[in-house]
Amino acid sequence: MSIETFKEKVAKIETKSNYKQPLGFGICYADVGIISNKVLQATYPVLNWKENFGSYAIFWNLLDKCETINQNESELVFGITEEFVIAALDDFAPFIAETQSNPNAHKNVAVVLELQRALQEGRLYTNNGDFRYRFCAIYEDKQCQSVESAYMKLLALSLGKAPLRSLYLDGIFGLLSNVAWSGNVPFELEWLRENEIALKMRGEFPAIDFVDKFPRYLMQVIPQYDNIRLLDTAKTRFGAYLGSGGYTQMPGASYVNFNAGAMGTCMNEGRISSSVIVGEGSDVGGGASILGVLSGGNSDPISIGKNCLLGVNSSTGISLGDGCIVDGGIAVLAGTIFKISLEEAKKLAEINPGFEIKESGIYKGRELSGKNGVHFRCDSKSGTMIAFRSNRKIELNAALH
């Protein structure tokens, strides 16, 4: 088959009446539970997101050579078989020689070549005869119906292929199993309990790093930029996004949940909760907490603007515009009352169109949400919470990023 013949075949597949273009697709390695037979983890070496539709057409066209695991309007999952591998090698024949010398030339072809090695080495199926490798495609951004699609969405977020807060993730906790992680290997808790005596008597009991439904960021993602620093692997969950370079996360109280993260150069020594987005150039101080949406009744995702400073042990429950400061140790929440003098209110109105100047000088935190250039402070003499136009420029230490 020539490259031209390959293109003609793809074009013909795309004219089929039941063909539809996916949002994302890929082939994953599935860790399958011995007892539950559930997928405990799905690892994608290549994630195709709104791209590489020629490869998708070839994979989709081989569905009849595989066993369908899950299929509905929003997603498709099927198990990779020997027949699939052989047929895919034939379809991708024009690209194999180049891929063998440079796996990055055609990454989906490189995946197929790895499937060929798995077939040759007897690794295509699990010891229980289940599918170790699975193809997954997402067509519509609806509630995930499989672990495979859930991991695909989380990876899309971590790689920045899908913007934070852009994907439907409701119900994901119900799909993922709570497992014991040893390195990058998930173990069923029930299996460990049933085999505890034998494993410990043989000195084979695994070193358990943590128990959770989610793996850690670095277990699934290679940082895309050399100047991203994570000083503790436990502090970032898979599904977080760490920007386009320059992000630094110190150990201690720092943490980033899934579907949350930073947009670029940022210092983080605090907690970035689920669905929180932190702008470039901002500094989240030691122990500072930003309210998320998973618990506590908050349903309004918080964004922190560019070049903001959240002081040590502060709490932020509203969105901040650019150039804001929250002093250490205070809580800036939607219902917190702040006093703003008339002079400072006029200064804030100059940089915030539509800002309402109140004669009373009393503002609730929610009225200041998203406003630029606000400095939040507790008056040390009176204990009154005050806000005013920030006159301090926030600059990160360039040597650290």
Side-chain angles (χ1 to χ4, degrees):
M1 180 187 289
S2 65
I3 293 179
E4 191 60 36
T5 304
F6 175 87
K7 292 179 178 179
E8 290 174 358
K9 181 168 185 175
V10 168
K12 186 176 180 180
I13 293 171
E14 291 175 339
T15 63
K16 292 186 176 182
S17 59
N18 59 337
Y19 175 88
K20 56 181 178 180
Q21 203 171 79
L23 179 63
F25 72 94
I27 293 174
C28 68
Y29 176 97
D31 287 286
V32 182
I34 297 173
I35 294 176
S36 66
N37 235 28
K38 293 180 179 179
V39 175
L40 308 180
Q41 177 180 218
T43 303
Y44 291 91
V46 176
L47 172 63
N48 305 275
W49 197 261
K50 300 180 180 179
E51 60 190 339
N52 301 326
F53 297 118
S55 293
Y56 166 76
I58 295 298
F59 292 148
W60 174 83
N61 196 50
L62 300 177
L63 174 61
D64 62 346
K65 299 184 182 301
C66 301
E67 181 176 321
T68 301
I69 297 172
N70 185 41
Q71 185 173 20
N72 53 62
E73 288 297 314
S74 61
E75 64 183 66
L76 166 67
V77 180
F78 61 73
I80 301 297
T81 63
E82 179 178 350
E83 292 76 17
F84 173 96
V85 177
I86 294 171
L89 286 167
D90 184 56
D91 286 336
F92 286 114
F95 309 100
I96 287 179
E98 183 182 3
T99 305
Q100 286 173 328
S101 59
N102 178 17
N104 288 320
H106 304 284
K107 291 186 176 181
N108 285 303
V109 181
V111 171
V112 173
L113 289 173
E114 286 299 326
L115 289 174
Q116 181 187 35
R117 294 186 184 97
L119 176 60
Q120 293 170 342
E121 296 169 8
R123 297 183 286 105
L124 199 60
Y125 307 99
T126 68
N127 292 335
N128 290 347
D130 211 333
F131 296 104
R132 179 164 280 141
Y133 302 94
R134 299 164 185 231
F135 173 87
C136 177
I138 296 175
Y139 301 104
E140 299 176 27
D141 183 26
K142 294 184 177 180
Q143 184 167 329
C144 292
Q145 302 297 314
S146 67
V147 173
E148 293 89 343
S149 64
Y151 267 75
M152 181 179 290
K153 284 188 177 183
L154 292 171
L155 183 57
L157 292 171
S158 282
L159 295 178
K161 289 179 178 278
L164 292 174
R165 304 199 303 228
S166 69
L167 297 179
Y168 191 92
L169 298 176
D170 288 6
I172 197 170
F173 279 91
L175 282 173
L176 305 183
S177 298
N178 201 36
V179 296
W181 297 89
S182 178
N184 201 27
V185 179
F187 289 90
E188 292 169 297
L189 294 170
E190 185 180 355
W191 184 85
L192 287 176
R193 295 186 192 106
E194 288 190 4
N195 294 275
E196 181 178 9
I197 294 174
L199 289 170
K200 288 182 175 179
M201 289 299 291
R202 297 170 188 168
E204 297 176 359
F205 192 81
I208 304 303
D209 299 307
F210 63 105
V211 176
D212 194 10
K213 290 174 176 284
F214 286 72
R216 294 169 178 170
Y217 176 91
L218 291 176
M219 292 162 61
Q220 286 275 346
V221 181
I222 300 173
Q224 296 170 278
Y225 302 90
D226 291 345
N227 60 348
I228 289 178
R229 296 196 298 151
L230 296 176
L231 277 66
D232 187 338
T233 63
K235 301 299 185 180
T236 308
R237 222 173 188 186
F238 181 45
Y241 175 65
L242 304 182
S244 55
Y247 175 85
T248 297
Q249 186 169 318
M250 303 300 287
S254 62
Y255 181 71
V256 186
N257 211 334
F258 76 99
N259 200 25
M263 293 296 100
T265 301
C266 176
M267 172 63 76
N268 180 25
E269 297 181 85
R271 289 177 285 275
I272 301 176
S273 301
S274 179
S275 298
V276 170
I277 296 177
V278 177
E280 185 174 5
S282 289
D283 187 337
V284 183
S289 296
I290 309 170
L291 189 65
V293 298
L294 288 182
S295 60
N298 184 42
S299 59
D300 186 16
I302 291 174
S303 296
I304 304 298
K306 297 179 180 179
N307 304 311
C308 291
L309 172 62
L310 305 186
V312 59
N313 292 329
S314 62
S315 299
T316 303
I318 63 171
S319 290
L320 303 181
D322 297 337
C324 291
I325 298 176
V326 177
D327 277 5
I330 70 170
V332 178
L333 306 176
T336 306
I337 301 297
F338 291 92
K339 177 72 174 178
I340 304 179
S341 69
L342 180 59
E343 180 183 359
E344 293 299 325
K346 289 179 178 178
K347 292 178 182 179
L348 289 172
E350 289 177 0
I351 61 170
N352 291 287
F355 180 82
E356 180 186 354
I357 299 177
K358 292 185 173 183
E359 290 186 9
S360 66
I362 302 299
Y363 299 79
K364 284 190 175 182
R366 64 173 60 90
E367 296 175 285
L368 303 175
S369 182
K371 299 297 187 288
N372 299 315
V374 184
H375 190 145
F376 298 91
R377 171 173 289 173
C378 178
D379 187 305
S380 60
K381 293 182 178 180
S382 66
T384 303
M385 298 294 284
I386 61 175
F388 51 92
R389 172 70 169 94
S390 174
N391 55 15
R392 177 181 170 187
K393 184 179 180 181
I394 305 303
E395 292 184 328
L396 299 175
N397 186 339
L400 300 178
H401 301 274

